[in-house]
C-alpha cells in the first residue's frame, strides 16, 4: 500500500502540473487531500466500470452458450426425426418417386444436421472453456478493501505528521517544494535531546528570561523593543494568569520604562525569531511600529502553521521489539488515522514517543492527559498484549504546542494558496519609515524555504539572519584572497 500511496501522490502531482487541476475550480483551489480522495473515487469508479464490463461479458457468454445449446437441441431433434424417416423408408420395397425423394432427402439431412450439431457442440465446448477461464479472473469489486484503506490512511497520517496538518489544508501544487533539498542518510535522535543545542549556543549570552516582547518600534535607526514581565503569564492558553483573569496589559513604548514589570531595550537591529504561530495571532501578541508591510503580512497569512502532539511514555523496562527503533499502529477509520499511529523508541531506554497527526490532533487536544495516555496504552496492548503485562508506566508527558502562547503550534506547512516564495518573503528584512536601512530581520524554520519545519532549517535561518545583520551593520565582507 505504500507503493499505491506514492502512486496517488504522483497522480496528484500530475493533475496539478500537467492538467492544471487547481485552476479547474475558480476561487476554490483544491488541496492535496481533496485531490487524493478524488483520485481514489475515480479509481473506485474505474473498478466498478471494469467489474460491470466483466459481468456483462460473462452474462453475454452465458447467453451465447444457452443459445448454442438450444440450437444443438433443435439439431438433435431434427436428426432424430430424419433418422426415423430413413429407418421407415430404407427397408420399404418399391418406393415410388416421392418416397425415394423423401428417403434421399432424409439421408442428406441426417448427415448435414449431424455436421451442424458437431460444430455446435464444439462451439459450446469452447465457450464453456472461455467461461471457466473468465470465472478464474473475477476482478475485485472495490479499488481497496477496508484493510487496504486503513493501511493507506496510515501512510496519509505519516504525511500529515510531516506537514503538521490534515492533508485537506495542504497545497496541492507546492506541498513538497522543499523535497529536492532533503539531506540524504538516516534519521538520528540526539541522545541528550535537542535542548543541548540552544544551551550550547547560548553560553555567554545575556538572555532575559520571563520577559515577553509586546511591541517592536523599528521606525528609526534605533529599534526599541518593549517587553513585560511574563512570570505571571500562563504558558498554556487553558490556564489563567497568576493573580488575575485578565490578559496582559497594554505596553508602552517609552524607552527606559520599567513600571509594572515593563522594560524597553534599544538596538541597532532586531532579529524576530518567534514561531510563525505567534506572528499569525489575531489580535497580535507582538505589535510592530510601523506595521509590517503588506507583502510580509500576506505571506504570514498564506503560510500554514500546524500542530503535532507527542505522548512520551516512560516504562520500567522495554517490552517491545528491540530490533527496530519505531513501529506503527493502523487505526480503523479516517478521522482517527493519525491517533498514536507511530511509536518511536529512544535508544536502549524504556521510553516510547507516540505521535498524533492530522485531524486526530484537534480531537485529542480536547481530551485530558490521562485519557490520551490511556488511548496510547490501549493501542500498545493490542500489539504487545502478552509482553506488556509485566511492565509499568513510570512517567508520562503530553505535548500541547498549540496551547502554548509562545508557540501557537508545531511547525509550518505550505497551505492552500501559498508557495515556497512565501518562505522567502518571511525571510526578507524590512526597514522603518525613517530608519533609512533594514533594521528588522527574521529567522525561524518558517523563513527557510529549503528546509522548513526542521530544527536544522531553524538553525540555518539563524545563520542567514546573522549574516544579513552583519552585512547591514559592518558592510559586505570581501572574501577575495590575496594572490601569493
Amino acid at each position: 500500500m505504500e507503493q499505491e500511496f506514492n502512486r496517488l501522490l504522483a497522480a496528484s502531482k500530475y493533475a496539478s502540473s500537467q492538467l492544471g487541476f487547481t485552476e479547474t475550480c475558480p476561487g476554490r483551489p483544491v488541496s492535496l487531500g481533496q485531490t487524493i480522495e478524488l483520485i481514489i473515487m475515480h479509481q473506485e469508479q474505474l473498478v466498478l466500470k471494469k467489474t460491470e464490463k466483466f459481468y456483462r461479458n460473462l452474462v453475454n457468454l452465458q447467453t451465447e452458450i444457452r443459445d448454442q445449446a438450444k440450437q444443438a437441441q433443435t439439431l438433435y431433434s431434427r436428426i432424430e426425426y430424419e433418422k426415423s424417416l430413413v429407418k421407415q423408408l430404407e427397408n420399404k420395397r418399391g418406393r415410388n418417386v416421392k418416397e425415394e425423394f423423401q428417403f434421399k432427402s432424409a439421408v442428406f439431412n441426417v448427415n448435414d444436421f449431424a455436421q451442424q450439431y458437431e460444430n455446435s457442440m464444439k462451439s459450446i465446448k469452447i465457450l464453456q472453456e472461455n467461461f471457466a477461464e473468465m470465472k478464474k479472473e473475477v476482478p475485485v469489486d472495490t479499488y481497496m478493501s477496508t484493510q487496504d484503506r486503513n493501511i493507506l490512511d496510515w501512510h496519509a497520517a505519516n504525511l500529515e505528521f510531516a506537514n503538521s496538518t490534515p492533508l485537506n489544508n495542504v497545497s496541492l501544487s507546492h506541498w513538497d517544494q522543499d523535497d529536492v533539498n532533503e539531506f540524504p542518510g538516516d534519521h538520528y535522535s540526539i541522545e541528550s535531546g535537542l535542548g543541548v543545542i540552544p544551551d550550547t549556543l547560548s553560553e555567554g549570552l545575556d538572555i532575559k528570561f520571563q520577559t515577553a516582547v509586546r511591541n517592536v518600534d523599528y521606525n528609526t535607526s534605533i529599534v526599541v523593543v518593549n517587553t513585560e514581565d511574563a512570570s505571571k503569564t500562563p504558558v498554556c492558553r487553558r490556564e489563567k494568569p497568576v493573580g488575575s483573569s485578565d490578559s496582559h496589559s497594554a505596553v508602552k513604548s517609552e524607552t527606559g520604562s520599567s513600571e509594572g514589570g515593563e522594560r524597553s531595550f534599544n538596538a541597532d537591529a532586531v532579529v524576530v525569531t518567534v514561531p510563525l504561530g505567534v506572528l499569525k495571532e489575531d489580535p497580535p501578541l507582538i505589535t510592530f511600529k510601523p506595521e509590517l508591510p503588506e507583502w510580509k503580512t500576506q505571506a504570514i497569512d498564506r503560510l500554514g502553521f500546524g500542530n503535532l502532539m507527542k505522548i512520551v511514555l516512560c516504562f520500567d523496562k522495554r517490552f517491545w521489539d528491540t530490533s527496530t527503533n519505531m513501529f506503527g499502529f493502523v487505526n480503523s477509520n479516517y478521522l482517527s488515522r493519525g491517533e498514536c499511529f507511530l511509536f518511536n523508541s529512544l535508544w536502549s531506554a524504556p521510553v516510547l514517543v507516540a505521535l498524533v497527526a492530522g485531524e486526530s490532533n484537534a480531537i485529542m487536544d480536547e481530551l485530558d492527559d490521562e485519557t490520551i495516555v490511556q488511548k496510547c496504552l490501549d493501542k500498545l496492548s493490542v500489539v504487545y498484549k502478552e509482553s506488556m503485562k509485566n511492565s509499568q508506566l513510570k512517567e508520562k508527558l503530553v505535548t500541547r504546542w498549540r496551547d502554548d502562547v509562545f508557540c501557537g503550534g508545531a511547525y509550518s506547512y505550505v497551505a492552500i494558496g501559498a508557495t515556497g516564495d512565501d518562505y522567502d518573503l518571511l525571510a526578507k528584512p524590512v526597514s522603518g519609515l525613517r530608519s533609512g536601512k533594514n533594521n528588522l530581520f527574521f529567522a525561524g524554520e518558517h523563513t527557510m524555504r529549503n528546509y522548513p519545519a526542521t530544527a536544522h532549517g531553524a538553525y540555518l535561518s539563524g545563520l542567514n539572519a546573522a549574516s544579513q545583520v552583519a552585512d547591514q551593520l559592518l558592510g559586505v565582507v570581501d572574501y577575495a584572497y590575496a594572490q601569493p
Side-chain angles (χ1 to χ4, degrees):
M1 290 311 297
E2 180 180 6
Q3 183 178 4
E4 186 63 20
F5 183 69
N6 289 334
R7 287 181 66 245
L8 289 172
L9 291 179
S12 300
K13 176 62 71 175
Y14 180 83
S16 172
S17 61
Q18 301 299 321
L19 304 181
F21 196 65
T22 53
E23 285 76 32
T24 59
C25 302
R28 296 178 57 191
V30 183
S31 70
L32 173 63
Q34 291 170 320
T35 303
I36 290 175
E37 292 303 320
L38 286 172
I39 294 174
I40 290 175
M41 291 173 61
H42 178 67
Q43 290 295 100
E44 291 283 4
Q45 289 295 322
L46 290 179
V47 169
L48 289 175
K49 288 181 179 179
K50 183 178 179 181
T51 304
E52 180 185 1
K53 182 179 179 180
F54 170 82
Y55 283 109
R56 187 183 295 116
N57 291 339
L58 200 65
V59 170
N60 290 340
L61 195 56
Q62 285 180 313
T63 301
E64 192 173 353
I65 293 173
R66 182 194 62 193
D67 292 343
Q68 287 285 353
K70 287 183 177 179
Q71 182 180 352
Q73 182 63 41
T74 301
L75 288 170
Y76 184 81
S77 299
R78 295 289 299 274
I79 291 171
E80 292 298 311
Y81 172 74
E82 297 296 335
K83 280 184 176 181
S84 65
L85 287 179
V86 170
K87 187 176 181 180
Q88 179 183 347
L89 295 173
E90 67 179 346
N91 296 323
K92 186 177 180 180
R93 296 179 179 180
R95 293 189 295 263
N96 58 34
V97 174
K98 180 179 179 181
E99 290 173 338
E100 186 66 23
F101 176 80
Q102 287 179 333
F103 174 74
K104 291 184 177 181
S105 295
V107 171
F108 175 84
N109 288 337
V110 167
N111 293 329
D112 183 50
F113 291 153
Q115 184 62 46
Q116 292 184 46
Y117 178 79
E118 183 180 353
N119 292 337
S120 182
M121 294 304 294
K122 288 180 179 179
S123 297
I124 291 174
K125 183 179 180 181
I126 293 174
L127 291 173
Q128 287 176 332
E129 289 175 350
N130 292 340
F131 184 81
E133 287 299 319
M134 283 188 66
K135 288 183 67 176
K136 293 178 183 179
E137 300 176 359
V138 176
V140 293
D141 55 0
T142 58
Y143 170 48
M144 286 182 288
S145 66
T146 300
Q147 183 181 16
D148 288 340
R149 180 60 206 240
N150 289 340
I151 296 175
L152 187 85
D153 280 336
W154 186 93
H155 290 286
N158 197 39
L159 189 57
E160 289 176 329
F161 151 58
N163 286 278
S164 74
T165 193
L167 296 184
N168 283 341
N169 298 333
V170 176
S171 167
L172 168 61
S173 303
H174 305 285
W175 69 272
D176 59 347
Q177 59 88 33
D178 61 307
D179 277 6
V180 294
N181 304 302
E182 184 175 355
F183 290 135
D186 296 330
H187 291 252
Y188 291 94
S189 296
I190 298 178
E191 187 170 355
S192 300
L194 282 174
V196 299
I197 296 178
D199 287 345
T200 302
L201 294 175
S202 64
E203 290 180 0
L205 299 180
D206 182 16
I207 298 178
K208 306 298 182 184
F209 294 100
Q210 303 294 342
T211 304
V213 174
R214 296 307 182 192
N215 173 268
V216 179
D217 186 341
Y218 66 103
N219 196 36
T220 65
S221 58
I222 300 299
V223 184
V224 181
V225 179
N226 299 296
T227 70
E228 70 175 16
D229 180 13
S231 60
K232 295 183 179 181
T233 302
V235 175
C236 181
R237 301 177 193 274
R238 305 186 186 199
E239 300 174 5
K240 292 183 179 181
V242 179
S244 172
S245 59
D246 298 327
S247 59
H248 62 78
S249 58
V251 179
K252 299 179 180 179
S253 60
E254 297 176 0
T255 304
S257 172
S258 61
E259 295 180 4
E262 299 175 2
R263 296 185 62 187
S264 296
F265 300 87
N266 296 340
D268 294 318
V270 166
V271 181
V272 179
T273 62
V274 296
L276 179 60
V278 175
L279 295 177
K280 293 175 77 71
E281 281 291 332
D282 186 21
L285 292 176
I286 301 175
T287 59
F288 295 90
K289 182 181 179 182
E291 293 183 354
L292 295 176
E294 187 175 11
W295 56 264
K296 175 78 74 172
T297 57
Q298 287 179 346
I300 291 172
D301 291 339
R302 283 192 296 266
L303 277 180
F305 196 66
N307 190 34
L308 174 72
M309 179 181 288
K310 293 184 177 181
I311 301 100
V312 183
L313 305 172
C314 303
F315 296 91
D316 59 341
K317 60 181 179 180
R318 298 179 70 177
F319 56 82
W320 51 90
D321 183 3
T322 58
S323 64
T324 180
N325 60 357
M326 66 178 64
F327 57 89
F329 185 90
V330 179
N331 289 288
S332 59
N333 63 69
Y334 176 87
L335 288 178
S336 68
R337 67 187 184 187
E339 183 180 296
C340 303
F341 79 100
L342 186 64
F343 290 84
N344 288 316
S345 175
L346 300 183
W347 317 289
S348 58
V351 178
L352 288 175
V353 180
L355 302 181
V356 179
E359 297 286 356
S360 298
N361 259 307
I363 297 172
M364 297 276 275
D365 204 39
E366 297 299 318
L367 306 177
D368 59 75
D369 288 3
E370 294 297 329
T371 303
I372 293 173
V373 170
Q374 188 57 53
K375 280 181 171 288
C376 285
L377 295 177
D378 290 343
K379 295 181 189 301
L380 286 172
S381 66
V382 173
V383 182
Y384 297 104
K385 184 175 182 180
E386 295 300 324
S387 58
M388 187 179 174
K389 288 181 178 179
N390 298 324
S391 65
Q392 290 185 351
L393 181 65
K394 294 295 186 181
E395 294 183 58
K396 57 185 180 296
L397 174 67
V398 178
T399 65
R400 296 184 183 270
W401 297 112
R402 188 175 297 284
D403 287 339
D404 191 319
V405 295
F406 299 116
C407 292
Y411 40 87
S412 64
Y413 64 91
V414 185
I416 300 174
T419 70
D421 294 340
D422 291 314
Y423 287 105
D424 292 337
L425 291 174
L426 285 180
K428 289 182 65 175
V430 297
S431 61
L433 298 177
R434 293 183 291 150
S435 64
K437 61 180 180 180
N438 291 330
N439 54 2
L440 190 64
F441 300 82
F442 295 83
E445 56 83 18
H446 54 281
T447 68
M448 183 51 63
R449 178 177 188 158
N450 290 350
Y451 309 105
T454 64
H456 58 272
Y459 174 74
L460 292 173
S461 76
L463 296 180
N464 181 60
S467 66
Q468 289 177 335
V469 173
D471 288 345
Q472 181 68 61
L473 300 182
L474 304 178
V476 178
V477 178
D478 185 1
Y479 292 101
Y481 294 95
Q483 295 295 325

